[in-house]
Structure formats: structure tokens, C-alpha cells
């Protein structure tokens, strides 16, 4: 019977010999920084830290204050944990050494969250496992798998975020980041991360701890170590004013999209004459050649090897929107803006009802034309 | 049940009853299996010019092994019934050590080797030689659609040369997890292996080993870091097909899939022109770190 056994072995040997004739070996060029060898990977963090939990009641618009929302949520979870003193400052009953304690900082007038070394270590270890191939062991975005990737994996020391659906002038809260990482970013390798909420929360804490030390004079945001930053939650999208009249919203949205000149970055979806009509101006003259194309933004705040990476505003009939699956999500992105990419925060700059109408219009553009090549080609021919 | 009872176990599982039980079990499961959507059990229909060869080889192996399985079963069952103990007949036992038995075993082995292994090997080598390994060389397929594939944890980066048909130029079409190619209906059943527009791929990887698997095209090849592997196929029917990673490559390996869009030739030309124009709009000549095209490997 032994010979029967030998047959598959012989065949396997033959096949292996045949397969061993591989093609030419040619190395793919990669920039040096991505090639840092993973020596001495630090997996244990010995020191805890403090991260910004909420800004003080700064007397601005009350609606914008994050502290009341934070303490309402925490108090619901742990009744009797907080006491409010005469000055309206919340005092935590938990000792300052306990993980998750909220500490008031008198000097900087802000609240810090206590993060223990244990929590950071757990977050770090999961981060190394799941996120480091792109965002790098150091968190600076130079992972092996991030070579030549555009958009580049985020450098977390920047404390800048694009699609959290939070007012882009502020830092996203944990819930916003959790939803972002769980949802992924369509059209990038940033996947829908299917990790339990508790572990993801620890990863996010670790990611937040990568922000640079705060500095009052710093250019732009420096993340959760900067007491002068503000935190906000996801923009509320519960009161859609157009539920009864989506058709009307789309029609008005088309006008507003061109009136607010979204086409200075994104494409215009109308020829010159119609753009004028939609804007309500007469014979403004000519528009540039790339009127109906997206225009590359070269002034982004996202840098790779000291180069400010250019970012293309999407053509909604062609490109994927990162997080624009519903009208409400698109409304939130338009209202919040895209930090560091040049896309402004529109909330406050235009009435909510108009922003919703634009969102309906953008959603309809993607619904109608994206992936329907023939229909899109006919439409583009009609405006180019 | 203790060892002392083992003889009753053995008698319960006596060969005849065991066979009957197996047949009943198989018969009761079969209708359920057959009632399922048939496509769930086999691969999806082939949609490439030489994919049918893979299917034929698969069928050949199923038939050869199926038939030899039946023959083996008959050879096992006949003695079980014929030689069992019964009134006036004592069960006979035989260790098969006689010269006659050894010769019989040798003959069966040779037949199995020639009919099964050698046959399958010859067909497989012919198919590989004419199909899978026969990547069009320089000038052999001037119409070929060329694609550079750069795998990474956990996505497929595709680069097509665009309307100028040169790699590493501003109009290169870059797509992520989506590859768009034209169908070549004329390649179906054509004597000319490279009829129509074969799709020729250069595969490499940034980090670990991945494997580009296009099940409906019946092709699969590893993408190795530091090397460039080649692969080719000619799609014959427009449609959306699967792109998978067939090499366990880390935590999110299961998310490393994409869509192969096969368009009619006219649709493809229109798509290529528009995608090239879009690529020009997105191209930033100063961003040295974003360029990753390599010299095309024939
Ligand atoms: Cu893979």
C-alpha cells in the first residue's frame, strides 16, 4: 500500500518544482520612513495621563457647551458621583488616581479625564494589532501599508479629524470617534472596524493620548492635551424639515448648492448659463474650464514628509463619499465641515433648512448618477 | 457502556447494519441538500475565456474519484456479504499476504496512478501551460488591458495606464478595491488564445503576502512584497464579479474584497476616458510620496 501513498507525494513534488519557476524579482520603491524596522516595539505603558474631558463653561453660546452634556451623561450612569459647587464647577467623588475620574483644573479652567497606565496599555496593544499597519507603531501615519496611500493614514499627533460629523472647529467626543471607526471611511482602506465597543473605546483613548502637548500659541489644534481646545458631540440631525417634501428639497438644494458656490471646490452640476440662473446673477461672464470638474485643493493641513498633501473634493456623481450614506449624514458633514481639508463649517453660516435642502440635492446626485455610467455621461455632456 | 459489553456494541454496529444506517442517513440528508439553491454548492459560472478548462478539470476529478470510490465500495461490500458467517458457512479471514494478493494490489495501484493521477496531471499541466502560465509576452497581445496591482493590509490598489497607455503618468487611473475592464465576447471558444482584449496583471504587495482571487475568472495568484508576479485572463461577459484575497493576511483579511466590473467595450472606453480625466484633476505632480508605479513587467 505504501506505493499508493507515494503517488500524491510524487505529484506534489513535480508541481512544486514547476511552480518554483517564479517571475523576475523587482523591488518596489518605498520611502525610507515607512521602512522603520519594528524593533523594540513598546507594548507596555508605565505612566498614566490626563486628557481633556470638557472645556469650562466659557460663557459662549450655551448650546455649544459640552460640560453640561458630559456631566448629565456621567451622572445618569453613576448617581451621586458629582457635586456642583457654588461656582458651578462639578467635583468628582472618585479619587484622582482612579481610571476615568474627572478632575477640575483651576488654572486652565477645564476638566481633565484621568487615564491609567493600565487602560493605555490595553489600548496600545489593540492599536498595535489592528491599526499600526497603516497608522504606524508611532501613530504618525507611516505604517508599512500606508506607503503612497492617498489620502494618507492619519497622523494622530495632529489631532485633526475630517468626518466625525462634529463641528470641525472642535474636537470630537468619544462617541463620535467610536461611530467613525466602526463605520469606516468608504473609498479608503480605513475599514469598518468590527471590534467590541469596550476595546474600541480603549483604542480611542490611546489614539487621543498621541496628541502633542498643548500650547496656547500652537498653530491649529493640538488635540486632547491642549486645555484651550473645545470638545463637541455629533451634530444633531433629528429634525429634518423636508421629510414631507423631498422633491422640493432637491429643487431648492440645487439652487443653494450653486448659490453658495460649492463649485469653487466641487464640480458645478450646471453649465455657465444655468449656473448664473441658479445663482440669480445675470451674465456674470465665463467660468473656468474645470467648472464641472472637482478642483484639487493644495492647501490641506495633512502633511506627509513635510508635504501638504493635496485633497480632491469629491464629484458626488463619480467618487465615493467617505461617510455619506444617508441625507442626514450628508447634512452633518456639510454642517460640520471637513477640518484641514478646506471644506468650511456651514452651520451658522446658512440656515439649517437650507443645509438640509443641499444635503437632499447632493444625496440625489449620488443616487441618480453614481455607478450609472451611461446616464451620468449623458448628463455631463449636457453641461460641459 | 463498559468494555465487557463491547461485543453487543459490535454486533449492533455489524457491517450490514452500519451500511444500512449510512444509506438511510445519506438518503435523509440528500433532499435537503438538493433543495438548496444549486449555485450555493458549486462555483459561480465561469466568465473568462479559459475558465471552462478549470471547470472541466474539476468535473474530471469528481468523476474519476467518484467512479473509483464506487468501485472500491463494491469491492469492499461484496466480500462482506459473500463471506459472512451463516448456517453451514464459516466466515473466512485473509491478511492478503499471498503473492496473488500482492500482485493484485500492485496492478490496482498502477491502474489508479495511470487513470487518476497521471490523467489529471497531464490535463492540468496542459491547461496551466496554455492558459494560466501563458501570460502574453512582449508584442503578443498589443490590445491587452494592463493593470498594476498593489496589495496592502487590507485593500487592493489598482493602477491602469489611462488613455495614454503609459504607467506612471498623470492620467493613470487609480482605483481602490474596484477594477474596471472590458469584456471580449470574441475570446469565447476562440482558437487564438489572446483574441479580444486580455487583461494582464502585475501583482505586488506593500507588506505581507496577499493573493488576488477572481473566482468567476478562475484565476488566483499571490502578491508578494518585493516581487512582481504576473497573471492574466480574458473576461467574456459584462457583469459585476468578486475580487477576494485568498491568503490570510491579518485581522481584517475578511474585509479585503472588492468588485470586478466588466463593461462592454464601448462602455469601457467611455469609462476609461472619464476616469482618466478625473485622474488628471486629482494628480499632484509635487507629491513625490504618492507615486508608486513600476516599470511594466512583460
Ligand atoms: Cu490580503
Amino acid at each position: 500500500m505504501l506505493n499508493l501513498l507515494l503517488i500524491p507525494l510524487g505529484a506534489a513534488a513535480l508541481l512544486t518544482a514547476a511552480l518554483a519557476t517564479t517571475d523576475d524579482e523587482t523591488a518596489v520603491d518605498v520611502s525610507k520612513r515607512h521602512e522603520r524596522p519594528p524593533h523594540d516595539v513598546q507594548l507596555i505603558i508605565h505612566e498614566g495621563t490626563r486628557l481633556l474631558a470638557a472645556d469650562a463653561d466659557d460663557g459662549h453660546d450655551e448650546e455649544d457647551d459640552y460640560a453640561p452634556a458630559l456631566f448629565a451623561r456621567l451622572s445618569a450612569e453613576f448617581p451621586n458621583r458629582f457635586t456642583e459647587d457654588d461656582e458651578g464647577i462639578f467635583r468628582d467623588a472618585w479619587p484622582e488616581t482612579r481610571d476615568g475620574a474627572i478632575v477640575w483644573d483651576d488654572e486652565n479652567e477645564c476638566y481633565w479625564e484621568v487615564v491609567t497606565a493600565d487602560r493605555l496599555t490595553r489600548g496600545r496593544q489593540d492599536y498595535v494589532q489592528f491599526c499600526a499597519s497603516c497608522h504606524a507603531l508611532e501613530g504618525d501615519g507611516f505604517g508599512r501599508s500606508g506607503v503612497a496611500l492617498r489620502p494618507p493614514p492619519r497622523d494622530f499627533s495632529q489631532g485633526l479629524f475630517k468626518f466625525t460629523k462634529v463641528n470641525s472647529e472642535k474636537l470630537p467626543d468619544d462617541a463620535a470617534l467610536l461611530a467613525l471607526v466602526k463605520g469606516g471611511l468608504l473609498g479608503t482602506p480605513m475599514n469598518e472596524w468590527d471590534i467590541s465597543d469596550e476595546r474600541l473605546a480603549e483604542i480611542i483613548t490611546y489614539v487621543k493620548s498621541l496628541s502633542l502637548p498643548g500650547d496656547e500659541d500652537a498653530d491649529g489644534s493640538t488635540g486632547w492635551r491642549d486645555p484651550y481646545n473645545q470638545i463637541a458631540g455629533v451634530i444633531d440631525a433629528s429634525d429634518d424639515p423636508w421629510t414631507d417634501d423631498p422633491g422640493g428639497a432637491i429643487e431648492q438644494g440645487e439652487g443653494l448648492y450653486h448659490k453658495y458656490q460649492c463649485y469653487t471646490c466641487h464640480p458645478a452640476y450646471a453649465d455657465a448659463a444655468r449656473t448664473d440662473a441658479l445663482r440669480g446673477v445675470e451674465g456674470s461672464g465665463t467660468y473656468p474650464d474645470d467648472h464641472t470638474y472637482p478642483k484639487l485643493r493644495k492647501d490641506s493641513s495633512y502633511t506627509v514628509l513635510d508635504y501638504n498633501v493635496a485633497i480632491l473634493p469629491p464629484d458626488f456623481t463619480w467618487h465615493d463619499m467617505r461617510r455619506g450614506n444617508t441625507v442626514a449624514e450628508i447634512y452633518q458633514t456639510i454642517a460640520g465641515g471637513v477640518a484641514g481639508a478646506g471644506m468650511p463649517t456651514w452651520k451658522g453660516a446658512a440656515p439649517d433648512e437650507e443645509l438640509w435642502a443641499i444635503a437632499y440635492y447632493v444625496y440625489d446626485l449620488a443616487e441618480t448618477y453614481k455607478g450609472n455610467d451611461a446616464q451620468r455621461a449623458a448628463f455631463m455632456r449636457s453641461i460641459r | 457502556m463498559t468494555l465487557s459489553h463491547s461485543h453487543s456494541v459490535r454486533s449492533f454496529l455489524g457491517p450490514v447494519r452500519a451500511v444500512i444506517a449510512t444509506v438511510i442517513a445519506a438518503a435523509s440528508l440528500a433532499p435537503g441538500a438538493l433543495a438548496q439553491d444549486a449555485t450555493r454548492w458549486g462555483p459561480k459560472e465561469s466568465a473568462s475565456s479559459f475558465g471552462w478548462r478549470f471547470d472541466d478539470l474539476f468535473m474530471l476529478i469528481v468523476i474519476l474519484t467518484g467512479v473509483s470510490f464506487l468501485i472500491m465500495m463494491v469491492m469492499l461490500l461484496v466480500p462482506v456479504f459473500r463471506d459472512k458467517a451463516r448456517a453451514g458457512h464459516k466466515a473466512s479471514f485473509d491478511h492478503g499476504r499471498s503473492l496473488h494478493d500482492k500482485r493484485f494490489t500492485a496492478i490496482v495501484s498502477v491502474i489508479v496512478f495511470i487513470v487518476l493521477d497521471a490523467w489529471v496531471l497531464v490535463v492540468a499541466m496542459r491547461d496551466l501551460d496554455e492558459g494560466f502560465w501563458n501570460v502574453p509576452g512582449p508584442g503578443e497581445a498589443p490590445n491587452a488591458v494592463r493593470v498594476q496591482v498593489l496589495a496592502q493590509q487590507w485593500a487592493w490598489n489598482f493602477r491602469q495606464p489611462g488613455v495614454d497607455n503609459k504607467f506612471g503618468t498623470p492620467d493613470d487611473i487609480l482605483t481602490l478595491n474596484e477594477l474596471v475592464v472590458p469584456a471580449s465576447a470574441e475570446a469565447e471558444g476562440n482558437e487564438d488564445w489572446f483574441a479580444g482584449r486580455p487583461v494582464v496583471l502585475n501583482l505586488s504587495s506593500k507588506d505581507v503576502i496577499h493573493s488576488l482571487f477572481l473566482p468567476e475568472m478562475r484565476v488566483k495568484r499571490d502578491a508578494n512584497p518585493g516581487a512582481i508576479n504576473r497573471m492574466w485572463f480574458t473576461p467574456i461577459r459584462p457583469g459585476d464579479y468578486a475580487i477576494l484575497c485568498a491568503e490570510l493576511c491579518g485581522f481584517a483579511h475578511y474585509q479585503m474584497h472588492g468588485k470586478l466590473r466588466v463593461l462592454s467595450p464601448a462602455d469601457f472606453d467611455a469609462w476609461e476616458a472619464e476616469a482618466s480625466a478625473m485622474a488628471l484633476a486629482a494628480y499632484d505632480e509635487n507629491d513625490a510620496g504618492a507615486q508608486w508605479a513600476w516599470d511594466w513587467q512583460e
Side-chain angles (χ1 to χ4, degrees):
Chain A
M1 286 307 270
L2 205 67
N3 48 351
L4 270 178
L5 272 177
L6 285 175
I7 293 164
L9 286 180
L14 269 176
L15 266 176
T16 325
L19 288 171
T21 52
T22 53
D23 294 320
D24 301 6
E25 295 227 341
T26 317
V28 177
D29 190 31
V30 285
S31 78
K32 285 286 175 283
R33 184 142 175 214
H34 291 93
E35 285 181 355
R36 286 169 299 187
H39 288 160
D40 305 324
V41 178
Q42 189 201 2
L43 288 176
I44 300 198
I45 294 174
H46 298 285
E47 257 179 69
T49 187
R50 289 182 173 194
L51 300 172
L52 191 67
D55 47 290
D57 181 358
D58 52 12
H60 291 309
D61 191 352
E62 272 219 14
E63 218 181 302
D64 275 8
D65 258 343
Y66 188 64
L70 173 75
F71 288 107
R73 202 178 58 236
L74 288 176
S75 302
E77 207 178 326
F78 307 98
N80 306 329
R81 185 175 145 189
F82 295 99
T83 42
E84 200 175 345
D85 69 13
D86 317 338
E87 291 160 51
I89 309 291
F90 285 89
R91 304 283 174 184
D92 197 342
W94 287 7
E96 287 193 11
T97 49
R98 178 164 172 181
D99 190 48
I102 306 285
V103 180
W104 168 252
D105 175 348
D106 226 7
E107 186 186 335
N108 292 307
E109 305 207 319
C110 70
Y111 294 97
W112 299 101
E113 181 188 356
V114 175
V115 181
T116 57
D118 273 356
R119 173 147 56 126
L120 280 182
T121 299
R122 288 194 302 272
R124 163 75 180 167
Q125 292 180 353
D126 277 347
Y127 172 90
V128 167
Q129 174 132 326
F130 302 131
C131 320
S133 56
C134 288
H135 293 284
L137 292 164
E138 297 79 356
D140 59 7
F142 282 88
R144 274 282 167 140
S145 315
V147 183
L149 196 60
R150 293 294 176 273
R154 187 64 35 80
D155 171 356
F156 291 126
S157 70
Q158 283 190 295
L160 262 184
F161 298 89
K162 284 179 179 172
F163 301 110
T164 52
K165 314 222 173 286
V166 169
N167 180 335
S168 64
E169 284 148 17
K170 304 190 176 188
L171 286 175
D173 69 358
D174 289 5
L177 282 172
L178 193 88
L180 175 116
V181 178
K182 272 192 129 55
L185 297 172
L186 199 64
T188 80
M190 174 73 193
N191 291 324
E192 299 164 30
W193 289 97
D194 192 4
I195 306 172
S196 75
D197 283 6
E198 300 89 77
R199 290 177 81 179
L200 215 44
E202 286 167 356
I203 298 178
I204 285 168
T205 305
Y206 172 71
V207 164
K208 287 180 1 183
S209 79
L210 294 168
S211 5
L212 295 174
D215 177 359
E216 198 174 354
D217 313 318
D219 232 8
S221 164
T222 48
W224 284 266
R225 295 186 190 281
D226 181 351
Y228 303 97
N229 269 333
Q230 291 187 322
I231 292 177
V234 168
I235 289 173
D236 178 35
S238 55
D239 46 357
D240 173 355
W242 293 96
T243 37
D244 298 331
D245 184 18
I250 294 167
E251 201 185 310
Q252 193 173 343
E254 184 189 15
L256 292 164
Y257 177 92
H258 294 88
K259 184 181 142 208
Y260 288 132
Q261 303 187 15
C262 305
Y263 60 76
T264 49
C265 300
H266 300 275
Y269 298 99
D271 59 16
R274 185 159 166 75
T275 308
D276 277 350
L278 288 167
R279 291 176 55 200
V281 296
E282 238 173 81
S284 78
T286 52
Y287 290 95
D289 285 348
D290 55 7
H291 186 51
T292 58
Y293 284 92
K295 296 105 193 148
L296 200 64
R297 306 294 310 180
K298 299 202 172 189
D299 47 2
S300 94
S301 312
Y302 299 100
T303 56
V304 175
L305 297 170
D306 293 333
Y307 181 73
N308 287 59
V309 175
I311 296 178
L312 191 73
D315 175 344
F316 309 110
T317 66
W318 183 266
H319 300 105
D320 286 323
M321 272 184 268
R322 305 289 180 240
R323 278 186 90 199
N325 297 316
T326 61
V327 174
E329 282 192 348
I330 298 173
Y331 159 77
Q332 288 170 318
T333 303
I334 299 172
V338 181
M343 162 103 173
T345 304
W346 286 94
K347 198 167 173 68
D352 251 12
E353 189 178 275
E354 293 191 356
L355 297 183
W356 273 101
I358 301 176
Y360 268 94
Y361 171 63
V362 169
Y363 181 81
D364 183 60
L365 281 173
E367 255 318 85
T368 316
Y369 298 115
K370 187 158 181 296
N372 303 330
D373 291 348
Q375 222 178 321
R376 177 180 184 276
F379 172 61
M380 284 298 165
R381 259 196 312 279
S382 75
I383 59 168
R384 276 176 186 163
Chain B
M1 208 169 284
T2 61
L3 263 180
S4 61
H5 288 99
S6 63
H7 107 238
S8 66
V9 176
R10 221 181 289 141
S11 74
F12 173 72
L13 287 178
V16 179
R17 281 179 233 196
V19 168
I20 294 172
T22 312
V23 170
I24 291 174
S28 60
L29 288 174
L34 292 178
Q36 300 274 351
D37 176 10
T39 56
R40 274 194 54 196
W41 295 95
K44 294 229 172 92
E45 202 189 342
S46 153
S48 73
S49 65
F50 58 84
W52 62 271
R53 290 189 167 229
F54 174 95
D55 295 355
D56 278 12
L57 182 62
F58 189 83
M59 270 328 277
L60 179 70
I61 295 173
V62 168
I63 291 169
L64 287 178
T65 52
V67 168
S68 42
F69 174 75
L70 285 179
I71 296 176
M72 294 294 177
M73 281 299 117
V74 170
M75 287 167 75
L76 277 172
L77 289 179
V78 165
V80 164
F81 285 99
R82 197 187 57 196
D83 301 336
K84 68 177 181 180
R86 54 184 181 270
H89 187 282
K90 199 165 170 277
S92 61
F93 297 92
D94 185 344
H95 290 279
R97 290 205 181 112
S98 69
L99 187 62
H100 166 271
D101 289 341
K102 285 184 179 161
R103 206 179 291 144
F104 182 73
T105 307
I107 291 173
V108 170
S109 309
V110 170
I111 292 177
V112 167
F113 178 77
I114 292 177
V115 174
L116 260 88
D117 300 68
W119 188 352
V120 168
L121 203 63
V122 166
V123 175
M125 293 307 283
R126 186 204 64 193
D127 288 353
L128 282 171
D129 230 37
E130 294 181 357
F132 188 74
W133 285 332
N134 191 15
V135 187
E140 278 189 304
N143 275 334
V145 177
R146 300 180 299 157
V147 186
Q148 295 187 348
V149 185
L150 186 56
Q152 70 168 88
Q153 280 178 338
W154 287 281
W156 295 103
N157 300 276
F158 297 105
R159 176 184 289 270
Q160 279 162 281
V163 285
D164 71 355
N165 207 22
K166 284 201 195 70
F167 283 101
T169 53
D171 78 341
D172 281 12
I173 302 165
L174 294 159
T175 50
L176 191 87
N177 296 333
E178 182 173 290
L179 176 59
V180 184
V181 293
S184 307
E186 67 271 36
E188 189 171 7
N190 201 316
E191 295 268 291
D192 177 4
W193 275 93
F194 304 139
R197 301 194 67 186
V199 178
V200 185
L201 307 165
N202 272 192
L203 298 153
S204 194
S205 167
K206 292 181 188 179
D207 36 43
V208 299
I209 302 177
H210 302 270
S211 186
L212 184 68
F213 181 24
L214 309 173
E216 287 96 342
M217 303 298 137
R218 302 289 192 262
V219 289
K220 177 199 292 175
R221 181 123 211 217
D222 278 7
N224 300 52
I228 292 172
N229 290 338
R230 294 176 307 151
M231 181 166 93
W232 79 288
F233 61 93
T234 310
I236 52 178
R237 263 195 310 281
D240 286 350
Y241 304 103
I243 296 177
L244 301 169
C245 179
E247 180 70 62
L248 182 56
C249 58
F251 173 78
H253 163 65
Y254 72 105
Q255 290 193 0
M256 193 169 164
H257 49 71
K259 188 160 80 177
L260 174 68
R261 284 177 67 203
V262 179
L263 305 179
S264 73
D267 287 352
F268 176 77
D269 290 343
W271 175 86
E272 190 183 37
E274 183 64 12
S276 251
M278 280 293 175
L280 273 177
Y283 185 74
D284 179 9
E285 70 280 1
N286 298 319
D287 193 353
Q291 321 300 339
W292 59 262
W294 54 77
D295 291 338
W296 182 253
Q297 301 291 305
E298 299 269 15

